[in-house]
Amino acid sequence: MSLASLLRGKVIDPLWSLLRQGVSPDQLAWSVALGSIIGVIPVLGVTTLLCTVVALPLRLNLVAIQAVNWLVYPLQFLLILPFFRLGERLFCAPPLTLAPSELLAMIKADTWGSVQALWSTTMHGLVVWLIAGIPMAMLIKFFLARLFRVTLHRMAKHPLRPEGAAS
């Protein structure tokens, strides 16, 4: 299975399906934008809960926000050290001297001890995430809302016909 067909089957088609079911383009765009931004927060183990806490009061689509959160999950691991490094620079903090593999081993060996040892580094990375994430979420929402509106308009003009129906 190619990456394009995987993305179409697991991401694009379900999003279009949500539009067909009546989810508004803006609501869906916010769900995708916030799911993608929350999904890369430099704090391990909190994204599912955070997405739920954000989605419920904002009346976002819980399925969409969680699906996108899970989709970007690998990016969280790729971006955690860059967030930490930028936080160190922003706050003139001493650099974390762990390699990525050492960081993961540390977390696996003693999660709570790791949280305590990395507290200030994590908070610095979190500030960088907020500084970058808020404008990124707004940009993602803006572009996706436009895309979803155009798509919804096209779907209204050319609704899907049942298989076997005459043209």
Short mmCIF file of all heavy atoms in Angstrom, two decimals, residues 67-102:
data_model
loop_
_atom_site.label_atom_id
_atom_site.label_comp_id
_atom_site.label_asym_id
_atom_site.label_seq_id
_atom_site.Cartn_x
_atom_site.Cartn_y
_atom_site.Cartn_z
N ALA A 67 -7.78 11.76 16.14
CA ALA A 67 -7.15 11.08 14.99
C ALA A 67 -5.91 11.84 14.52
O ALA A 67 -4.86 11.24 14.26
CB ALA A 67 -8.16 10.93 13.85
N VAL A 68 -6.02 13.15 14.44
CA VAL A 68 -4.87 13.96 14.02
C VAL A 68 -3.79 13.91 15.10
O VAL A 68 -2.60 13.79 14.78
CB VAL A 68 -5.30 15.40 13.71
CG1 VAL A 68 -4.10 16.29 13.45
CG2 VAL A 68 -6.24 15.42 12.51
N ASN A 69 -4.18 13.98 16.35
CA ASN A 69 -3.23 13.86 17.45
C ASN A 69 -2.43 12.57 17.31
O ASN A 69 -1.20 12.56 17.42
CB ASN A 69 -4.00 13.90 18.78
CG ASN A 69 -3.16 13.49 19.97
OD1 ASN A 69 -1.99 13.80 20.08
ND2 ASN A 69 -3.77 12.75 20.88
N TRP A 70 -3.10 11.46 17.08
CA TRP A 70 -2.41 10.18 16.95
C TRP A 70 -1.57 10.12 15.66
O TRP A 70 -0.52 9.51 15.64
CB TRP A 70 -3.40 9.03 16.99
CG TRP A 70 -4.10 8.93 18.32
CD1 TRP A 70 -3.59 9.25 19.56
CD2 TRP A 70 -5.43 8.50 18.56
NE1 TRP A 70 -4.53 9.05 20.53
CE2 TRP A 70 -5.68 8.58 19.96
CE3 TRP A 70 -6.46 8.06 17.73
CZ2 TRP A 70 -6.89 8.24 20.52
CZ3 TRP A 70 -7.67 7.70 18.31
CH2 TRP A 70 -7.87 7.80 19.69
N LEU A 71 -2.04 10.78 14.62
CA LEU A 71 -1.30 10.80 13.36
C LEU A 71 0.04 11.54 13.50
O LEU A 71 1.04 11.10 12.95
CB LEU A 71 -2.16 11.47 12.27
CG LEU A 71 -1.54 11.55 10.89
CD1 LEU A 71 -1.48 10.16 10.26
CD2 LEU A 71 -2.35 12.48 10.00
N VAL A 72 0.07 12.62 14.26
CA VAL A 72 1.30 13.40 14.41
C VAL A 72 2.18 12.91 15.56
O VAL A 72 3.25 13.47 15.80
CB VAL A 72 1.02 14.92 14.57
CG1 VAL A 72 0.26 15.46 13.37
CG2 VAL A 72 0.31 15.23 15.86
N TYR A 73 1.74 11.87 16.24
CA TYR A 73 2.47 11.34 17.39
C TYR A 73 3.97 11.14 17.12
O TYR A 73 4.80 11.55 17.95
CB TYR A 73 1.81 10.04 17.86
CG TYR A 73 2.46 9.39 19.04
CD1 TYR A 73 2.44 9.99 20.29
CD2 TYR A 73 3.08 8.15 18.92
CE1 TYR A 73 3.02 9.39 21.39
CE2 TYR A 73 3.67 7.54 20.01
CZ TYR A 73 3.63 8.16 21.24
OH TYR A 73 4.22 7.57 22.32
N PRO A 74 4.38 10.57 15.98
CA PRO A 74 5.82 10.44 15.74
C PRO A 74 6.56 11.78 15.69
O PRO A 74 7.72 11.87 16.08
CB PRO A 74 5.90 9.74 14.37
CG PRO A 74 4.59 9.06 14.22
CD PRO A 74 3.59 9.91 14.93
N LEU A 75 5.86 12.82 15.27
CA LEU A 75 6.49 14.15 15.23
C LEU A 75 6.81 14.67 16.63
O LEU A 75 7.74 15.45 16.80
CB LEU A 75 5.60 15.15 14.49
CG LEU A 75 5.41 14.92 13.01
CD1 LEU A 75 4.42 15.94 12.45
CD2 LEU A 75 6.73 14.99 12.28
N GLN A 76 6.03 14.25 17.61
CA GLN A 76 6.30 14.68 18.97
C GLN A 76 7.71 14.26 19.39
O GLN A 76 8.45 15.05 19.98
CB GLN A 76 5.26 14.09 19.94
CG GLN A 76 5.42 14.58 21.36
CD GLN A 76 4.43 13.96 22.33
OE1 GLN A 76 4.01 12.81 22.15
NE2 GLN A 76 4.05 14.71 23.34
N PHE A 77 8.10 13.04 19.04
CA PHE A 77 9.45 12.56 19.39
C PHE A 77 10.52 13.28 18.57
O PHE A 77 11.60 13.56 19.08
CB PHE A 77 9.56 11.05 19.18
CG PHE A 77 8.81 10.27 20.22
CD1 PHE A 77 7.60 9.67 19.91
CD2 PHE A 77 9.29 10.16 21.51
CE1 PHE A 77 6.91 8.96 20.88
CE2 PHE A 77 8.60 9.46 22.49
CZ PHE A 77 7.40 8.86 22.17
N LEU A 78 10.21 13.59 17.32
CA LEU A 78 11.19 14.28 16.49
C LEU A 78 11.38 15.74 16.92
O LEU A 78 12.46 16.29 16.76
CB LEU A 78 10.75 14.25 15.02
CG LEU A 78 10.78 12.90 14.34
CD1 LEU A 78 10.19 12.99 12.94
CD2 LEU A 78 12.21 12.37 14.27
N LEU A 79 10.34 16.35 17.46
CA LEU A 79 10.41 17.77 17.80
C LEU A 79 10.74 18.07 19.25
O LEU A 79 11.03 19.22 19.59
CB LEU A 79 9.08 18.45 17.44
CG LEU A 79 8.74 18.50 15.96
CD1 LEU A 79 7.35 19.07 15.74
CD2 LEU A 79 9.79 19.33 15.21
N ILE A 80 10.73 17.07 20.12
CA ILE A 80 10.92 17.35 21.54
C ILE A 80 12.29 17.97 21.81
O ILE A 80 12.40 18.96 22.53
CB ILE A 80 10.65 16.11 22.42
CG1 ILE A 80 10.47 16.54 23.87
CG2 ILE A 80 11.71 15.04 22.27
CD1 ILE A 80 9.83 15.48 24.76
N LEU A 81 13.35 17.42 21.23
CA LEU A 81 14.68 17.99 21.46
C LEU A 81 14.84 19.38 20.84
O LEU A 81 15.41 20.27 21.49
CB LEU A 81 15.78 17.04 21.00
CG LEU A 81 16.10 15.92 21.99
CD1 LEU A 81 17.15 14.98 21.44
CD2 LEU A 81 16.54 16.47 23.33
N PRO A 82 14.34 19.63 19.61
CA PRO A 82 14.41 21.00 19.10
C PRO A 82 13.67 22.00 20.00
O PRO A 82 14.15 23.12 20.22
CB PRO A 82 13.77 20.91 17.72
CG PRO A 82 14.04 19.51 17.28
CD PRO A 82 13.94 18.70 18.55
N PHE A 83 12.50 21.62 20.54
CA PHE A 83 11.80 22.50 21.47
C PHE A 83 12.66 22.74 22.71
O PHE A 83 12.76 23.88 23.20
CB PHE A 83 10.45 21.91 21.89
CG PHE A 83 9.35 22.11 20.89
CD1 PHE A 83 8.58 21.03 20.47
CD2 PHE A 83 9.06 23.36 20.37
CE1 PHE A 83 7.55 21.20 19.55
CE2 PHE A 83 8.04 23.55 19.46
CZ PHE A 83 7.28 22.47 19.05
N PHE A 84 13.28 21.69 23.23
CA PHE A 84 14.15 21.83 24.40
C PHE A 84 15.32 22.76 24.09
O PHE A 84 15.66 23.63 24.88
CB PHE A 84 14.67 20.47 24.87
CG PHE A 84 13.67 19.60 25.58
CD1 PHE A 84 14.02 18.31 25.96
CD2 PHE A 84 12.38 20.03 25.87
CE1 PHE A 84 13.12 17.48 26.63
CE2 PHE A 84 11.47 19.21 26.53
CZ PHE A 84 11.85 17.93 26.91
N ARG A 85 15.96 22.54 22.93
CA ARG A 85 17.13 23.35 22.56
C ARG A 85 16.76 24.83 22.39
O ARG A 85 17.48 25.72 22.86
CB ARG A 85 17.78 22.84 21.27
CG ARG A 85 18.33 21.45 21.35
CD ARG A 85 19.58 21.38 22.20
NE ARG A 85 20.09 20.01 22.20
CZ ARG A 85 20.25 19.29 23.28
NH1 ARG A 85 19.98 19.78 24.46
NH2 ARG A 85 20.72 18.07 23.23
N LEU A 86 15.65 25.10 21.73
CA LEU A 86 15.22 26.49 21.56
C LEU A 86 14.85 27.11 22.90
O LEU A 86 15.11 28.29 23.14
CB LEU A 86 14.05 26.57 20.58
CG LEU A 86 14.40 26.30 19.12
CD1 LEU A 86 13.15 26.15 18.28
CD2 LEU A 86 15.28 27.42 18.57
N GLY A 87 14.25 26.31 23.79
CA GLY A 87 13.95 26.80 25.14
C GLY A 87 15.21 27.14 25.91
O GLY A 87 15.25 28.15 26.63
N GLU A 88 16.23 26.31 25.75
CA GLU A 88 17.51 26.60 26.41
C GLU A 88 18.07 27.93 25.93
O GLU A 88 18.54 28.73 26.73
CB GLU A 88 18.50 25.48 26.12
CG GLU A 88 18.17 24.16 26.78
CD GLU A 88 18.95 22.98 26.20
OE1 GLU A 88 19.73 23.15 25.23
OE2 GLU A 88 18.75 21.87 26.72
N ARG A 89 17.99 28.15 24.63
CA ARG A 89 18.50 29.42 24.08
C ARG A 89 17.66 30.60 24.54
O ARG A 89 18.20 31.64 24.91
CB ARG A 89 18.52 29.37 22.56
CG ARG A 89 19.61 28.51 22.02
CD ARG A 89 19.68 28.61 20.54
NE ARG A 89 20.77 27.80 20.06
CZ ARG A 89 21.22 27.83 18.83
NH1 ARG A 89 20.66 28.63 17.94
NH2 ARG A 89 22.22 27.06 18.47
N LEU A 90 16.35 30.45 24.50
CA LEU A 90 15.46 31.54 24.87
C LEU A 90 15.67 31.95 26.33
O LEU A 90 15.67 33.14 26.66
CB LEU A 90 13.99 31.12 24.65
CG LEU A 90 12.92 32.15 24.98
CD1 LEU A 90 13.03 33.35 24.04
CD2 LEU A 90 11.53 31.52 24.86
N PHE A 91 15.87 30.98 27.21
CA PHE A 91 16.02 31.25 28.63
C PHE A 91 17.48 31.24 29.11
O PHE A 91 17.73 31.29 30.31
CB PHE A 91 15.20 30.24 29.45
CG PHE A 91 13.72 30.45 29.31
CD1 PHE A 91 12.99 29.75 28.38
CD2 PHE A 91 13.07 31.38 30.12
CE1 PHE A 91 11.63 29.96 28.24
CE2 PHE A 91 11.71 31.60 29.99
CZ PHE A 91 10.98 30.89 29.05
N CYS A 92 18.42 31.17 28.16
CA CYS A 92 19.85 31.13 28.50
C CYS A 92 20.14 30.06 29.55
O CYS A 92 20.91 30.28 30.49
CB CYS A 92 20.33 32.50 28.97
SG CYS A 92 20.14 33.79 27.73
N ALA A 93 19.51 28.91 29.38
CA ALA A 93 19.67 27.80 30.32
C ALA A 93 20.80 26.90 29.85
O ALA A 93 21.11 26.84 28.65
CB ALA A 93 18.37 27.00 30.41
N PRO A 94 21.42 26.17 30.76
CA PRO A 94 22.46 25.23 30.35
C PRO A 94 21.87 24.13 29.48
O PRO A 94 20.73 23.71 29.70
CB PRO A 94 23.00 24.66 31.66
CG PRO A 94 21.97 24.98 32.68
CD PRO A 94 21.19 26.16 32.20
N PRO A 95 22.61 23.69 28.48
CA PRO A 95 22.07 22.68 27.55
C PRO A 95 21.90 21.32 28.21
O PRO A 95 22.68 20.93 29.08
CB PRO A 95 23.11 22.62 26.43
CG PRO A 95 24.35 23.16 27.02
CD PRO A 95 23.96 24.11 28.11
N LEU A 96 20.88 20.63 27.77
CA LEU A 96 20.63 19.25 28.18
C LEU A 96 21.70 18.40 27.51
O LEU A 96 21.90 18.50 26.30
CB LEU A 96 19.23 18.82 27.72
CG LEU A 96 18.75 17.45 28.11
CD1 LEU A 96 18.57 17.36 29.62
CD2 LEU A 96 17.40 17.17 27.43
N THR A 97 22.40 17.59 28.27
CA THR A 97 23.53 16.84 27.71
C THR A 97 23.18 15.40 27.36
O THR A 97 24.06 14.56 27.30
CB THR A 97 24.71 16.86 28.71
OG1 THR A 97 24.27 16.31 29.94
CG2 THR A 97 25.23 18.27 28.93
N LEU A 98 21.92 15.14 27.11
CA LEU A 98 21.49 13.78 26.77
C LEU A 98 21.27 13.64 25.28
O LEU A 98 20.69 14.52 24.64
CB LEU A 98 20.18 13.45 27.49
CG LEU A 98 20.20 13.40 29.01
CD1 LEU A 98 18.78 13.22 29.54
CD2 LEU A 98 21.08 12.27 29.49
N ALA A 99 21.71 12.52 24.74
CA ALA A 99 21.39 12.18 23.35
C ALA A 99 19.94 11.69 23.32
O ALA A 99 19.40 11.28 24.36
CB ALA A 99 22.33 11.07 22.86
N PRO A 100 19.28 11.72 22.16
CA PRO A 100 17.89 11.25 22.09
C PRO A 100 17.70 9.84 22.66
O PRO A 100 16.74 9.59 23.38
CB PRO A 100 17.58 11.30 20.59
CG PRO A 100 18.48 12.36 20.05
CD PRO A 100 19.74 12.26 20.88
N SER A 101 18.61 8.94 22.35
CA SER A 101 18.48 7.57 22.87
C SER A 101 18.61 7.53 24.39
O SER A 101 17.91 6.77 25.07
CB SER A 101 19.51 6.65 22.23
OG SER A 101 20.82 7.12 22.51
N GLU A 102 19.49 8.36 24.95
CA GLU A 102 19.65 8.44 26.40
C GLU A 102 18.41 9.03 27.06
O GLU A 102 18.00 8.59 28.13
CB GLU A 102 20.87 9.28 26.76
CG GLU A 102 22.19 8.66 26.34
CD GLU A 102 23.36 9.62 26.52
OE1 GLU A 102 23.20 10.82 26.25
OE2 GLU A 102 24.43 9.14 26.92
#
